[in-house]
Amino acid sequence: MKKKKTIILGIETSCDETAVSVLEHENNKRPKILSNIVSSQFDIHEKFGGVVPELAARSHLEKIDLITNEALKKSKININKIDAIAATAGPGLIVCLSVGLNFAKALSVSLRKPLIAVNHLEGHALSPKLNSELKFPYLLFLISGGHTQFLSVDGLGKYKRLGTTIDDALGEAYDKVSKIMNFTYPGGPIIEQLSKKGNKDRFKLPKPIFYKGGSNMSFAGLKTAVLRLKNSLKTNKDKCDLAASFQKTIIEILIKKTKNAIDEHIENYPSNRSLVVAGGVASNKEIRKNLKKLCNQENFEIFFPNIEICTDNAAMIALVGLEKYKKKKFDSLDFEVKPRWPLDRKAKFLKGAGVKL
Ligand code: KG4
Ligand code: ZN
């Protein structure tokens, strides 16, 4: 029998990246990224210090055709050879999600190929499968601009949340600290670079709920503390010292909370010792280094996506599409975008004042 290759087109427009990827899969082989085009809108949102939904949606609309053509051209795949179209349907900005999902629906109709609606967070969750042999179950530490959670992952669509941030997401904390110091968006890469030149022991910053709340986390107090120091930042050296102190504090929190999450995970999966760290913040080298060290001590194997797959992209969306395609999990054309779409639907909402841990 002739070996059949599966080709999935992935589309991602949940926030400020217009991204399209073509993924190829041959039986028993690791999926191969034939193209992975990401067009960021940093220049559009930079002056606002954050993403403006309407501007983002308009830019997706202007570019989606072009980026899709570019991805197809780079992959050297004829559009008729595509087996399914996978698009992010949530969570994210409703006006942005709608652009990608509607475009995917139109392609699905015209090509007569199945539509697969993908949870963006599941894209991050599975992303290391593109570069390593990763098997279920595993502990996932998802650290992005909108989410910061520990989850036990038992299979496609099977998530149990162990801990979450009760206020800001980790990437959001980096972005806000960068904004306070008058740097541009996104702040993560900037703070990481500044911190290399700073004295990490200069400023003492708080570590909210460090000794309680299991693997739940809180970062809002750090941002407030940085805001209070704003007026004392006179020189570039001051800013580097603050960035380094901020990152050091973050790492101390992450190590402590990851250790707690490991203990919670192995209670449910005593023989599993795998940790996946994914999402935009997972591209931070210092965070990677420290989590690797912890995993060495804990006898855990650690998995990261390749750096270019940490921040938002469509290859990870195509990958979830492929996994769902194998199980024939297709969606109908009336599937609606889900601005809120938690991986663990049973998990309690733990945000805002008065949260009981
Ligand atoms: O996963 P992602 O691209 O988008 C979401 O799904 O949210 O993550 C974007 C976030 C931003 O907040 C950005 O500042 C942060 O990831 N980020 C970083 C680094 N690179 C991106 N944070 C810390 N260090 C980095 N090197
Ligand atoms: Zn993301």
Side-chain angles (χ1 to χ4, degrees), residues 89-92 97 119 147 337-342 344-345 347-349 351:
L97 291 164
N119 182 321
H147 295 82
V337 295
K338 299 186 191 187
R340 259 184 59 74
W341 190 358
D344 176 359
R345 270 170 293 159
K348 250 177 43 192
F349 189 67
K351 264 194 178 170

Side-chain angles (χ1 to χ4, degrees), residues 17 120 124 143-147 171-172 174-175 185-189 192 247 279-281 283-285 287 310-312:
E17 261 99 22
H120 175 90
H124 283 302
I143 40 179
S144 71
H147 295 82
E172 193 183 352
Y174 269 92
D175 295 334
Y185 171 86
E192 181 178 15
Q247 186 156 286
V281 188
S283 49
N284 185 298
K285 301 244 170 54
I287 292 180
C310 285
T311 43
D312 289 349

Side-chain angles (χ1 to χ4, degrees), residues 131 279-280 282-285 288 304-311 313:
N131 60 286
S283 49
N284 185 298
K285 301 244 170 54
R288 282 185 177 231
F304 296 101
N306 285 341
I307 295 277
E308 71 279 9
I309 301 295
C310 285
T311 43
N313 65 85

